[in-house]
Amino acid sequence: MDTKLQKSQRAWIHGDPRKVAYPTDSYGQFCGQHGTPNANKTLLFYFNILKCASPAVLIKLQCPTTQLCVSKCPDRFATYIDMQYSYRSNKSYWEYYRQFCKPGFNNPRKSVSEILRDEDCPSMIVPSRPFFQRCFPDFTTRNGILTVANKTTFKDGKGKTRNVTELRQAANGINGVLDGREVGMKIFEDYANSWHWILIGLVIAMLVSLVFILILRFTAGVLLWLIIFGVIGVIGYGIWHCYWEFSTLRGRPGADVTISDIGFQTDFRVYLQLSQTWLIFMIFLCITEAVIILMLIFLRNRVRIAIALLKEGSRAIGEIMSTLFYPIITFLLIAVCISYWAVTAVFLASSGESVYKVMPAQPKCIYANLTCDPNTFNKTNVTKVCPGSQCTFAFYGGESLYHRYILVLQICNVFVFLWLVNFAIALGQCTLAGAFASYYWALRKPADIPQYPLFSSFGRAIRYHTGSLAFGSLILATVQLIRIILEYLDHKLKGAENVFARFLLCCLKCCFWCLEHFIKFMNRNAYIMIAIYGKGFCTSAKEAFFLLMRNIVRVAVLDKVTDFLLFLGKVFIAGSVGVLAFFFFTRRIPFIQEEAPSLNYYWVPLLTVIFGSYLIAHGFFSVYAMCVDTLFLCFLEDAERNDGSEERPFYMTTSLKKILKKQNPIPY
């Protein structure tokens, strides 16, 4: 039996991405493939588009009619009967019509009944235009009336006159997609006209992010205390407003009714007319205000430590500026991982063989959807039992052992993708941690900071810590894969009536979500300890865990303070650059009003700038967050292992020593 590795290799050997890139006719041949008779026939033509009436059929781009590769779509209404009649006087009618017949067929005198039976030629052609390399009717609307080539009716080639609305039903949804394509073209045009201004906006976001991080050493304390007192002030105003509403409603007729008396109401505005509601709000806000004030009183030293570490993180980045651009390396590594996963997935998906199935013309055919062989189909009993049936190409697959393992191989491919992505992120975290740790453990800053700390840390991570990083990434990737499988099962069980199974699945999803975030937190701190001491993953994770547990209050305060401050920074940068972009693209800045490009939708470049600015700020601030976390663990280690003596001096900064009321006996 083949091993999974051999099966994966077979996917690369037998996989064919052309099966995804090119449309396929009824015989499994690619349209537009170079080096084949269909090299110049890039479009797929449906013999009878009316048979594609089911929307599900069009989603799969398959329907029970012959599909043929053509070089261009029809540009006129015509039927085989009319062509045969006109052929007697003008041979050009046949020359045009024959390009939509089966290759090699050249008998315009063949009877119509035989043509329809053998499907040598389509009974009719309608004006069409290409969409996704397939020919669909060219719909237009004139005065609110749906037309095709300015006609509302057409002949179907079988003696009947049809309305173009039947074509619309057959191509249900395609016209909406075509309208969407027009919108897409306008969006593409907007990008083409404004891409250089978008780049300028993203460069501004990069510069603002850089400046914001550098000035945090001077503004971190002010910003944090402003935020804290701002929250206290907002809650205080909420308490006053609730008291005012309570006083106003108290004694008013109907306002003294309790919430339990009126029961559950879908219109929540009803509750706002009760004095009891505002009393509950006021009590809740008073408790929240009291908790915040008490926490500030008892945790003021922890908050001061958090502010000092935020300032120190800004100084560290100022000394090692190259760390701000390391996310580019992580981005490139992740891009390589995504490319490898996508290419492997395409090869796996396209490594099957051509599978043909019976497409019946009648709804009740016992042979429907059964596999068939197009070479021997006309000799089988299917054509007699189900007249008009066709043996057409369905998909790429197979019944061999290899084909049965393709789904397993796709899952393995996803797992490898998760593992590689997590490894790239882990490598970046360990590299940055090593660089910032070298800053902290320099007794005289910046004189004792080693040269090229980022490059040296990257070399150590690659040379000594690859196994530890891979092991931590493996654990995280396993949990993430389980979460993906649980999400898939939840999607499948949405319509199930088994309440217990859905409840159990929901509990599992919640547990593994918590587990994933806990592992991410522990991996991050384990990588910091690996970068500092060079120990293995398990030892580093254990030491980091117990170190953090011994300082759990400091950890909680620093984590929340840092996250909240950096989130505000991201929103500030994305918002400020977005406001500037809004005024520019809407031509509201007088001195550069004429420079603004002419756009169909100004929100296209605007949203791009806002989203891109947020991602850029996130990239810069992820380095800052890693810096603060590294300095924090170093600070905890420093406070526990050293006592300020000459043999074991403190490496922390003067501000941290003042907060802890400690100092080195000998000045350095």
Side-chain angles (χ1 to χ4, degrees):
M1 182 181 293
D2 290 343
T3 64
K4 290 184 179 180
L5 177 60
Q6 290 172 331
K7 289 183 175 67
S8 180
Q9 290 173 342
R10 188 183 297 182
W12 285 91
I13 296 173
H14 298 288
D16 193 348
R18 295 173 303 177
K19 298 173 183 177
V20 180
Y22 298 104
T24 311
D25 63 14
S26 296
Y27 308 100
Q29 299 173 338
F30 302 124
C31 298
Q33 180 186 349
H34 296 290
T36 67
N38 290 333
N40 297 323
K41 299 178 179 180
T42 59
L43 305 174
L44 191 67
F45 169 73
Y46 296 93
F47 264 36
N48 189 353
I49 191 69
L50 293 173
K51 290 187 178 181
C52 306
S54 172
V57 170
L58 277 178
I59 291 174
K60 298 178 181 179
L61 296 174
Q62 299 170 359
C63 59
T65 185
T66 301
Q67 300 167 33
L68 190 71
C69 295
V70 295
S71 57
K72 62 180 180 179
C73 295
D75 59 4
R76 68 194 72 172
F77 280 110
T79 65
Y80 186 83
I81 297 175
D82 293 338
M83 181 282 304
Q84 201 172 44
Y85 178 78
S86 303
Y87 170 74
R88 302 170 186 172
S89 58
N90 191 341
K91 308 291 186 191
S92 63
Y93 285 97
W94 169 243
E95 293 301 324
Y96 178 80
Y97 204 93
R98 67 179 295 184
Q99 61 185 325
F100 305 108
C101 298
K102 289 182 178 179
F105 180 76
N106 191 19
N107 186 10
R109 294 183 177 86
K110 189 174 181 178
S111 65
V112 176
S113 59
E114 292 178 330
I115 287 290
L116 297 180
R117 181 197 64 193
D118 300 334
E119 288 207 4
D120 294 319
C121 291
S123 62
M124 63 170 183
I125 57 175
V126 299
S128 306
R129 58 176 169 175
F131 182 69
F132 284 127
Q133 295 181 273
R134 290 156 176 89
C135 295
F136 288 107
D138 188 6
F139 295 108
T140 56
T141 302
R142 294 184 178 275
N143 299 323
I145 301 175
L146 187 68
T147 65
V148 175
N150 297 326
K151 292 185 178 182
T152 57
T153 60
F154 64 95
K155 297 178 181 179
D156 66 356
K158 299 179 181 180
K160 294 182 180 180
T161 300
R162 303 288 191 100
N163 195 290
V164 295
T165 55
E166 297 181 60
L167 287 175
R168 178 63 177 269
Q169 294 172 357
N172 189 25
I174 295 298
N175 199 51
V177 177
L178 293 174
D179 293 339
R181 184 182 67 168
E182 184 178 354
V183 174
M185 293 299 295
K186 290 182 178 180
I187 292 175
F188 179 80
E189 182 181 353
D190 288 342
Y191 276 122
N193 292 333
S194 62
W195 65 269
H196 49 289
W197 293 108
I198 293 175
L199 288 180
I200 292 174
L202 297 181
V203 170
I204 293 174
M206 183 180 68
L207 296 176
V208 173
S209 301
L210 179 61
V211 172
F212 188 88
I213 289 176
L214 294 179
I215 65 175
L216 272 178
R217 71 173 72 177
F218 309 109
T219 60
V222 176
L223 285 176
L224 185 59
W225 287 115
L226 283 177
I227 292 169
I228 292 173
F229 288 115
V231 170
I232 293 175
V234 169
I235 296 177
Y237 170 79
I239 294 172
W240 175 84
H241 183 78
C242 291
Y243 176 76
W244 181 81
E245 291 283 356
F246 172 74
S247 302
T248 304
L249 292 174
R250 188 172 54 182
R252 181 180 297 180
D256 293 332
V257 179
T258 63
I259 295 176
S260 59
D261 291 336
I262 65 173
F264 177 75
Q265 301 290 328
T266 55
D267 188 359
F268 291 98
R269 290 176 296 180
V270 175
Y271 298 107
L272 299 179
Q273 299 174 5
L274 304 179
S275 60
Q276 188 185 54
T277 302
W278 293 101
L279 179 62
I280 294 173
F281 286 163
M282 183 176 65
I283 294 173
F284 174 77
L285 291 177
C286 287
I287 294 174
T288 304
E289 186 89 327
V291 169
I292 292 176
I293 293 174
L294 290 174
M295 288 179 62
L296 288 176
I297 293 173
F298 291 103
L299 300 178
R300 60 185 183 278
N301 280 338
R302 271 80 175 183
V303 175
R304 292 172 62 195
I305 291 174
I307 294 174
L309 285 172
L310 289 171
K311 293 180 179 179
E312 191 63 21
S314 184
R315 293 191 186 96
I317 291 177
E319 296 294 339
I320 315 175
M321 290 289 292
S322 57
T323 55
L324 287 173
F325 302 97
Y326 185 85
I328 297 176
I329 298 177
T330 302
F331 171 78
L332 294 177
L333 291 175
I334 293 177
V336 171
C337 297
I338 294 175
S339 301
Y340 175 80
W341 164 78
V343 172
T344 304
V346 169
F347 269 87
L348 282 171
S350 61
S351 61
E353 300 172 351
S354 300
V355 176
Y356 300 86
K357 288 195 173 185
V358 176
M359 292 291 184
Q362 302 172 356
K364 297 181 180 180
C365 176
I366 61 175
Y367 296 102
N369 294 324
L370 295 181
T371 56
C372 58
D373 185 353
N375 297 321
T376 61
F377 181 73
N378 293 329
K379 300 177 182 179
T380 62
N381 194 43
V382 179
T383 55
K384 298 178 181 178
V385 178
C386 303
S389 299
Q390 294 287 324
C391 181
T392 59
F393 169 79
F395 56 87
Y396 290 99
E399 302 296 333
S400 66
L401 183 64
Y402 163 72
H403 294 115
R404 289 199 296 269
Y405 273 96
I406 285 182
L407 178 60
V408 177
L409 293 174
Q410 289 282 22
I411 295 175
C412 293
N413 185 35
V414 172
F415 176 73
V416 172
F417 165 71
L418 295 174
W419 192 0
L420 291 175
V421 169
N422 287 319
F423 179 81
I425 296 174
L427 178 62
Q429 292 175 341
C430 188
T431 300
L432 292 173
F436 293 126
S438 65
Y439 167 85
Y440 184 92
W441 297 113
L443 192 58
R444 294 175 299 173
K445 302 176 179 63
D448 291 342
I449 299 176
Q451 288 188 336
Y452 311 112
L454 182 66
F455 181 78
S456 300
S457 178
F458 181 79
R460 289 194 302 271
I462 291 292
R463 184 175 180 182
Y464 300 110
H465 309 317
T466 304
S468 298
L469 301 180
F471 183 69
S473 304
L474 175 65
I475 297 173
L476 182 57
T478 303
V479 175
Q480 289 174 335
L481 182 64
I482 294 174
R483 285 197 62 205
I484 292 174
I485 295 174
L486 290 175
E487 289 291 343
Y488 174 77
L489 293 176
D490 183 54
H491 177 73
K492 288 295 183 181
L493 292 176
K494 276 187 177 179
E497 298 180 358
N498 192 331
V499 179
F500 176 76
R502 295 176 59 186
F503 172 76
L504 179 62
L505 193 61
C506 183
C507 292
L508 288 174
K509 287 172 56 181
C510 180
C511 291
F512 277 95
W513 181 88
C514 296
L515 180 61
E516 179 186 355
H517 283 73
F518 175 75
I519 291 176
K520 282 183 177 179
F521 176 76
M522 287 309 306
N523 280 5
R524 183 183 181 93
N525 290 281
Y527 299 148
I528 295 174
M529 298 299 285
I530 290 172
I532 296 174
Y533 294 109
K535 298 180 181 179
F537 175 82
C538 295
T539 303
S540 299
K542 182 185 70 173
E543 293 180 355
F545 176 77
F546 287 113
L547 178 63
L548 294 173
M549 288 301 101
R550 291 193 297 270
N551 300 271
I552 187 63
V553 178
R554 289 176 177 175
V555 173
V557 173
L558 178 72
D559 186 59
K560 297 307 175 185
V561 167
T562 304
D563 289 347
F564 188 63
L565 186 60
L566 295 186
F567 173 75
L568 290 179
K570 296 174 191 176
V571 173
F572 169 75
I573 292 170
S576 58
V577 177
V579 169
L580 180 63
F582 172 78
F583 282 108
F584 174 75
F585 289 119
T586 55
R587 299 174 181 269
R588 300 187 183 185
I589 303 179
F591 59 93
I592 55 173
Q593 185 175 5
E594 300 300 327
E595 300 294 331
S598 178
L599 302 171
N600 297 296
Y601 311 109
Y602 72 86
W603 51 264
V604 172
L606 176 61
L607 292 180
T608 305
V609 169
I610 294 175
F611 183 69
S613 299
Y614 186 86
L615 290 181
I616 290 173
H618 178 75
F620 276 97
F621 288 0
S622 65
V623 175
Y624 187 80
M626 194 67 200
C627 177
V628 174
D629 288 346
T630 303
L631 297 180
F632 180 58
L633 257 67
C634 292
F635 163 74
L636 297 179
E637 283 283 298
D638 191 15
E640 288 189 358
R641 294 178 180 271
N642 300 317
D643 56 8
S645 64
E646 185 177 356
E647 294 78 14
R648 292 186 298 169
F650 289 117
Y651 288 81
M652 64 186 71
T653 57
T654 304
S655 59
L656 289 171
K657 292 176 188 176
K658 289 181 180 178
I659 294 172
L660 297 178
K661 298 179 180 179
K662 296 179 180 181
Q663 61 181 358
N664 291 329
I666 302 175
Y668 290 92

